[in-house]
Amino acid sequence: MGHEVELANVTKRFGGFTALRNISLRVPASSLTVVLGPSGAGKTTLLRIIAGLERPDEGRVLIDGVDVTDKPPWVRGAVMVFQRPALFPHMTAAENIAFGLEAMGVGRDEAVARVREVADLLRIRHLLSKLPDELSGGEAQRVALARALVLEPRILLLDEPLSNLDLSLREELRAEIRRIQRELKMTMLYVTHDQDEALELADYLAIIYGGELVEWGDTVSVYESPSSVRAARVLGHNILSPDSARKIGISADAAIAVPPHRVVLVDGDKCLVTRVARRRNYGIVEVMCSDTQLRAAVGYDVMDSVEVGDRVGVEVRGYSVLKRP
C-alpha cells in the first residue's frame, strides 16, 4: 500500500535565488500525483527535498505523519527515477537492477528472486542479460524503473523520466507507469512540463509556477476550474479580462479561464478565423471576436470545415472565475 507525503511550509534557497517558496502540499497515499509547471519552476527541487537529496531551508517533510526532514534518504524509502537512466555500462540489466539490493545487504538468492519479479512486472525478463549499449532508450528507462522498484520503495519519485524518448515510446511507458501504480497501489509523484502527459497520468495535479504552488486538487477539477491566473496559463487555457468576457456574452467581475475544449464554433459571423493548426488527435482553431482572441480545441471534422478568413460564431460552454494571480 502507498504512503502519505506532506510538505509543510517548505522553502528552499540557492544563494540569493528562492527555488521553492512556502510550499504546503499533502499527497494522498496510493495516488499518482503529477507536479506540472514550466522549466525552472522548482519541480525537481521539490522531488529532491522529498527524497532527502536536498534539505529545505524552512518547513518540514512528513511521511505518514512522521517528520523525516532531518532523516537521510535511505531511511525515508523514497526513491527517484531521473530523466536519464544512467545505467552502469559494464553491468548487465540484471546487475544494474540488483545494484541497490547489494548495497542494502540483501542476500543473493533473494536479490535474484526480486530482480525476476520486477522484470516480470515491467515485462523485461528478456533484457536481463543485455548490457546498456544493447538497449533502446525505452528499454533502458524500463531497466532504470525496475532498479527503483526492486528496492520496494514507500514512495516513487519520477523526474521527467520519459522526456528523452520519442512519442510512441512515451505513450507506451506512460501506460506502463499508470498500470504499475494501480497494480502496486504505490504513492508516486511524477514531474512533467507536458500538459497532455499530466492529464493522462494524474489522480491529483499540483501546479508549480515560479517556485510557488499555485493550484492543487483532483485532476478534473484543476483542469476544468483553475482558480489562479498562473495555473490557467500553465494549462494553456484562454484567459479573458472582464471586458473581453463581456464582449462574448459572459458577465464577470474578474478574469476568467476558458479551457480550449469549452470554446465551440457555431453558425454566425461575429468572429474571424485567424489560425488553423492540426495536432495529432485534435485541431486548434484561433478566432478573433472583436478584439478578443479565443483558442478552440476541435475535432478534425470541425477543423476541416473552416479555414483562415472564415467568419464563424462562438459559444463558451464552461469557464472558471480566476480569484488569484
Side-chain angles (χ1 to χ4, degrees):
M1 295 294 290
H3 299 268
E4 183 183 83
V5 182
E6 182 179 359
L7 300 180
N9 306 113
V10 165
T11 293
K12 178 63 182 177
R13 304 180 188 90
F14 295 99
F17 173 69
T18 301
L20 294 174
R21 183 178 292 104
N22 198 34
I23 299 282
S24 291
L25 172 67
R26 180 173 291 172
V27 177
S30 303
S31 68
L32 200 165
T33 293
V34 171
V35 182
L36 175 66
S39 297
K43 305 183 298 297
T44 296
T45 300
L46 184 146
L47 289 196
R48 291 177 63 85
I49 285 174
I50 294 171
L53 303 176
E54 299 283 355
R55 194 184 188 287
D57 294 296
E58 299 169 18
R60 299 177 301 145
V61 180
L62 300 96
I63 297 177
D64 292 334
V66 177
D67 191 337
V68 298
T69 311
D70 298 317
K71 302 293 184 184
W74 54 89
V75 172
R76 301 184 183 203
V79 176
M80 278 189 75
V81 177
F82 298 94
Q83 186 173 346
R84 297 183 182 278
L87 303 178
F88 296 111
H90 62 289
M91 293 182 179
T92 65
E95 291 167 340
N96 267 282
I97 295 168
F99 181 80
L101 295 177
E102 294 174 10
M104 292 167 56
V106 174
R108 175 174 172 77
D109 289 346
E110 182 183 348
V112 168
R114 284 167 66 171
V115 168
R116 288 176 178 168
E117 182 179 4
V118 76
D120 288 341
L121 178 69
L122 281 158
R123 301 165 181 164
I124 57 170
R125 179 78 81 99
H126 62 292
L127 302 178
L128 291 180
S129 63
K130 292 189 175 184
L131 292 168
D133 64 4
E134 298 175 297
L135 302 174
S136 69
E139 290 170 343
Q141 197 58 284
R142 284 175 188 267
V143 171
L145 186 56
R147 182 175 57 187
L149 289 172
V150 79
L151 300 175
E152 299 178 350
R154 301 163 78 191
I155 301 139
L156 188 63
L157 309 170
L158 300 115
D159 187 13
E160 303 210 46
L162 312 182
S163 60
N164 290 326
L165 304 179
D166 63 38
L167 181 60
S168 62
L169 278 175
R170 287 203 305 272
E171 292 182 340
E172 180 182 326
L173 280 174
R174 279 203 296 263
E176 285 289 280
I177 288 168
R178 181 77 261 195
R179 175 184 65 83
I180 290 165
Q181 189 276 329
R182 286 176 174 157
E183 194 169 317
L184 300 180
K185 296 182 172 59
M186 178 180 288
T187 304
M188 292 187 183
L189 280 88
Y190 186 107
V191 156
T192 185
H193 62 271
D194 184 315
Q195 296 98 329
D196 290 338
E197 188 165 83
L199 295 174
E200 179 178 337
L201 284 172
D203 297 315
Y204 296 91
L205 196 55
I207 298 181
I208 303 288
Y209 193 101
E212 297 182 7
L213 179 67
V214 297
E215 206 80 35
W216 158 254
D218 71 88
T219 303
V220 173
S221 297
V222 168
Y223 183 75
E224 292 285 352
S225 304
S227 58
S228 74
V229 172
R230 288 177 292 178
R233 186 172 294 123
V234 169
L235 291 167
H237 290 357
N238 298 285
I239 301 173
L240 305 181
S241 68
D243 284 344
S244 294
R246 281 191 286 271
K247 289 176 182 177
I248 58 171
I250 298 172
S251 178
D253 295 325
I256 65 170
V258 183
H261 72 282
R262 296 296 184 189
V263 179
V264 180
L265 304 186
V266 297
D267 291 337
D269 60 2
K270 291 186 177 180
C271 304
L272 176 68
V273 176
T274 58
R275 179 172 175 258
V276 177
R278 186 178 296 270
R279 303 286 171 84
R280 279 186 70 235
N281 301 311
Y282 62 95
I284 292 291
V285 177
E286 293 182 3
V287 298
M288 185 67 72
C289 307
S290 181
D291 59 353
T292 299
Q293 181 169 299
L294 289 170
R295 193 171 59 261
V298 301
Y300 280 172
D301 56 338
V302 174
M303 188 184 67
D304 291 341
S305 69
V306 297
E307 57 185 35
V308 172
D310 285 351
R311 307 292 305 190
V312 296
V314 161
E315 288 183 5
V316 171
R317 298 180 181 172
Y319 64 90
S320 62
V321 176
L322 298 172
K323 303 171 184 175
R324 295 179 284 113

